[in-house]
Amino acid sequence: MACHEAASRWTCHVRHYHQVRKVIMSNKQTRSDVILIGAGVMSATLGTLLKELVPNWKITVFEKLASAGEESSNEWNNAGTGHAALCELNYTEEKADGSIDIGKAIKINEQFQVSRQFWSYLVNKKQIRNPQDFIMPLPHMSMVQGEKNVAFLRKRFEAMAANPLFQGMEFSDDPDKLMEWIPLIMQGRTSQEPIAATKIDSGTDVNFGALTRLLFDHLKSKKVEMKFKHSVDNLKRTDDGSWELKVRNLDTGTVERHTAKFVFIGGGGGSLPLLQKSGIPEGKNIGGFPVSGLFMVCRNPEVVEQHHAKVYGKAPVGAPPMSVPHLDTRFIDNKKSLLFGPFAGFSPKFLKTGSMFDLIGSVKANNLGTMLAAGAKNMSLTKYLIQQVMLSKEKRMEELRQFIPNAKSEDWDLLVAGQRVQVIKDTDAGGKGTLQFGTEVVSDAEGTIAALLGASPGASTAVSVMLELIKKCFPQHMKAWEPKLKEMIPSYGVPLLKHPDLIRQIHTSTSQSLGLNRELHPAM
């Protein structure tokens, strides 16, 4: 017995020795040119761009989950599936004089055209083999009910149809035409309330989870090191201006030290805590407000087959912009799906896989006033989110029946989507504690570190957002990189709106490269 106990103690001592030795060994510094934190679509896009521009740079990616594209970019978590401002009514504001401001829609559409060009480049270079794995042609539609909303939609259509970016958009308030366009929505509709819709056939459905995985598969073939189940716990600036990261291997618990000249924090909602840990002045006085989302998913294939479009409605008064209701055809795992939502909710987590202490942990001395001001300003939003959380399935079905009058409860299940963390900051226009709806990059003055914050339109504009980041953080290289950038994105540096012929040329060439000319649904 004594021998057995002695042997056990010896085994424990040996195991402890190896564990300590492993930690010591892992503390040696591993140097990269670029470190990407988070294996989502933004990191995938930035890594792919940089590998094209400077193939010899060493890039390392850290992701705390077991694979790429599992948080905000995942196809079941991501509400943004091809935002091109073709159908999203919150991108076209009605001004006090009754006119429609389509400026935001123009900007987002131009950004999506940049994404299409870059994806086409990757397909043409055989870096993505089959574009159908991530992008499919799909009509985009807007639908409204009531005289006032119909009048708004007509004015919106007139403003947009005259613009070359939105060429091909149609408007109808004819029930027979609408039955042809959206039979599932029109069947069983007994209300005499006016109804109208716009339709444009050049829309797409983009599976950003699939795209993320395709991009990282390509990066791995280019010797980019992917470290899954690795959590970046801390980071600090070194004396030579580089960044040192403390990275924990979640499988073994060991700590690794990694340094890089440039760090991108693209961890979705997890970006804000790391930005705060960086200590850069630009990251101060910024907070985050998490909003969760829920979707209804149709489980009846017969119902799914009756609808073929993304149909967006108008958001309820007081609802955040990401809560615009839509009935959404999706292509996931090469299978057609139908989703309705999103229903907003609240969770203090900054990531779907995050901690219940994320929100309170993000409140610091430098952003406390900003966060308190935001809370006071957004009481109506808080009330709306609480009401949304309390909705029963039947109440959600009632909202769905505004779109599909004949919807049956047994055909639909509830799906929890990803977390969105809206940026809170002090602005000249909104004052202290302004809640921002959009995507923004925060970087230091020297361009050594950048963090992506915010939400929609997010993934759809990833290429434009990352190009702006590259321009801001690598200004010394831009002259040398410009020819390659123009090869990848022919419209680079050109305002599309001033060049209608270029718009048509880009639309034709990218449609061909991405296989968007195929007819998926002849009845439509």
Side-chain angles (χ1 to χ4, degrees):
M1 187 73 172
C3 290
H4 177 72
E5 289 177 359
S8 296
R9 285 197 298 272
W10 173 250
T11 302
C12 289
H13 287 316
V14 170
R15 186 181 298 122
H16 178 68
Y17 167 76
H18 283 298
Q19 286 175 343
V20 171
R21 184 171 178 268
K22 196 170 188 179
V23 170
I24 293 171
M25 287 179 66
S26 64
N27 271 337
K28 69 177 183 180
Q29 288 191 352
T30 303
R31 192 163 186 84
S32 301
D33 294 295
V34 172
I35 286 176
L36 308 175
I37 303 174
V41 69
M42 291 292 181
S43 289
T45 300
L46 179 58
T48 306
L49 284 165
L50 288 175
K51 262 298 170 186
E52 291 298 304
L53 294 168
V54 272
N56 61 322
W57 277 8
K58 181 183 178 184
I59 299 176
T60 305
V61 183
F62 295 107
E63 167 57 56
K64 70 178 183 178
L65 300 182
S67 56
E70 288 303 312
E71 263 286 352
S72 298
S73 300
N74 186 267
E75 49 268 48
W76 291 111
N77 291 340
N78 183 9
T81 59
H83 284 305
L86 302 173
C87 57
E88 302 90 338
L89 297 175
N90 55 310
Y91 295 154
T92 48
E93 183 182 358
E94 186 171 14
K95 297 192 287 191
D97 63 1
S99 63
I100 307 296
D101 182 359
I102 66 169
K104 187 173 183 179
I106 289 170
K107 180 180 178 181
I108 291 170
N109 189 275
E110 287 190 329
Q111 290 176 322
F112 190 68
Q113 300 307 322
V114 170
S115 292
R116 281 178 56 140
Q117 290 173 76
F118 184 56
W119 300 335
S120 296
Y121 167 83
L122 296 175
V123 170
N124 292 336
K125 292 289 185 179
K126 303 292 189 289
Q127 296 181 19
I128 291 178
R129 293 287 176 182
N130 184 11
Q132 194 170 343
D133 288 341
F134 79 93
I135 188 167
M136 300 286 258
L138 189 71
H140 282 203
M141 299 182 63
S142 304
M143 185 200 76
V144 297
Q145 301 175 65
E147 287 186 16
K148 185 178 178 182
N149 287 334
V150 169
F152 160 77
L153 189 65
R154 189 186 298 274
K155 286 190 293 185
R156 176 184 181 273
F157 163 72
E158 290 168 353
M160 296 183 79
N163 189 295
L165 288 169
F166 307 106
Q167 191 172 6
M169 184 178 285
E170 302 174 71
F171 171 91
S172 183
D173 56 4
D174 176 11
D176 292 336
K177 175 58 76 172
L178 296 178
M179 178 64 82
E180 179 188 326
W181 286 356
I182 40 176
L184 187 63
I185 289 174
M186 295 303 292
Q187 288 165 7
R189 191 167 290 277
T190 58
S191 172
Q192 298 303 306
E193 191 175 36
I195 183 169
T198 58
K199 175 172 172 281
I200 184 164
D201 290 327
S202 58
T204 57
D205 175 64
V206 183
N207 183 331
F208 284 104
L211 175 62
T212 300
R213 293 187 289 272
L214 287 168
L215 293 177
F216 276 123
D217 284 346
H218 170 68
L219 286 173
K220 279 189 281 187
S221 75
K222 295 289 186 180
K223 310 301 182 189
V224 168
E225 189 170 8
M226 303 289 300
K227 286 184 168 284
F228 294 110
K229 292 190 175 181
H230 280 68
S231 175
V232 178
D233 290 345
N234 210 342
L235 67 168
K236 65 179 182 180
R237 197 80 181 267
T238 63
D239 292 339
D240 69 354
S242 298
W243 288 91
E244 181 183 270
L245 279 63
K246 179 182 177 184
V247 184
R248 184 163 39 94
N249 184 320
L250 298 179
D251 277 337
T252 65
T254 57
V255 172
E256 304 169 3
R257 304 282 174 176
H258 292 263
T259 61
K261 302 171 189 173
F262 176 77
V263 175
F264 173 64
I265 308 173
S271 292
L272 179 59
L274 284 174
L275 174 63
Q276 292 174 329
K277 287 179 180 180
S278 75
I280 64 171
E282 294 82 0
K284 298 187 184 301
N285 304 313
I286 295 176
F289 183 76
V291 178
S292 60
L294 300 167
F295 281 90
M296 304 292 288
V297 184
C298 186
R299 300 301 185 190
N300 186 335
E302 292 181 6
V303 176
V304 173
E305 282 305 314
Q306 293 178 57
H307 186 74
H308 188 77
K310 293 186 182 296
V311 182
Y312 275 61
K314 289 199 81 172
V317 176
M322 82 288 286
S323 295
V324 174
H326 49 283
L327 185 64
D328 214 3
T329 294
R330 303 279 298 274
F331 295 94
I332 299 175
D333 298 328
N334 295 314
K335 181 181 176 183
K336 190 174 177 181
S337 305
L338 185 60
L339 283 73
F340 175 77
F343 298 93
F346 176 77
S347 165
K349 294 181 179 181
F350 277 6
L351 292 166
K352 196 173 179 179
T353 56
S355 163
M356 297 297 283
F357 297 100
D358 284 343
L359 177 58
I360 192 68
S362 73
V363 179
K364 310 293 182 184
N366 65 67
N367 69 0
L368 177 60
T370 299
M371 295 290 282
L372 291 174
K377 282 182 178 180
N378 291 283
M379 294 301 291
S380 60
L381 173 59
T382 304
K383 180 181 177 183
Y384 171 79
L385 293 176
I386 293 171
Q387 290 170 340
Q388 288 276 292
V389 170
M390 300 300 289
L391 286 178
S392 64
K393 181 180 179 181
E394 190 50 40
K395 284 290 185 184
R396 291 190 171 98
M397 288 302 300
E398 288 177 15
E399 292 196 26
L400 171 58
R401 290 185 186 111
Q402 296 292 314
F403 274 68
I404 307 176
N406 293 333
K408 298 176 182 177
S409 275
E410 60 266 29
D411 291 340
W412 296 80
D413 291 336
L414 198 61
L415 169 75
V416 179
Q419 289 287 105
R420 300 287 179 269
V421 179
Q422 307 299 141
V423 176
I424 298 173
K425 66 179 188 178
D426 305 333
T427 67
D428 293 336
K432 196 168 186 66
T434 302
L435 192 61
Q436 304 288 100
F437 294 101
T439 305
E440 59 182 281
V441 174
V442 178
S443 60
D444 67 333
E446 297 86 359
T448 63
I449 189 168
L452 184 91
L453 305 174
S456 185
S460 299
T461 61
V463 180
S464 288
V465 174
M466 292 301 99
L467 286 173
E468 283 300 311
L469 181 151
I470 288 171
K471 186 177 178 181
K472 188 173 184 181
C473 295
F474 301 97
Q476 70 276 26
H477 297 291
M478 291 309 295
K479 187 174 181 180
W481 288 352
E482 190 169 307
K484 185 65 177 181
L485 288 168
K486 287 184 176 178
E487 180 190 346
M488 294 188 290
I489 298 124
S491 73
Y492 180 76
V494 178
L496 279 178
L497 204 55
K498 295 181 180 179
H499 298 83
D501 290 341
L502 183 58
I503 293 172
R504 286 188 284 272
Q505 180 185 329
I506 287 169
H507 191 268
T508 299
S509 63
T510 58
S511 293
Q512 183 176 354
S513 298
L514 298 172
L516 300 178
N517 295 321
R518 58 190 179 273
E519 189 71 39
L520 283 182
H521 201 284
M524 295 300 292

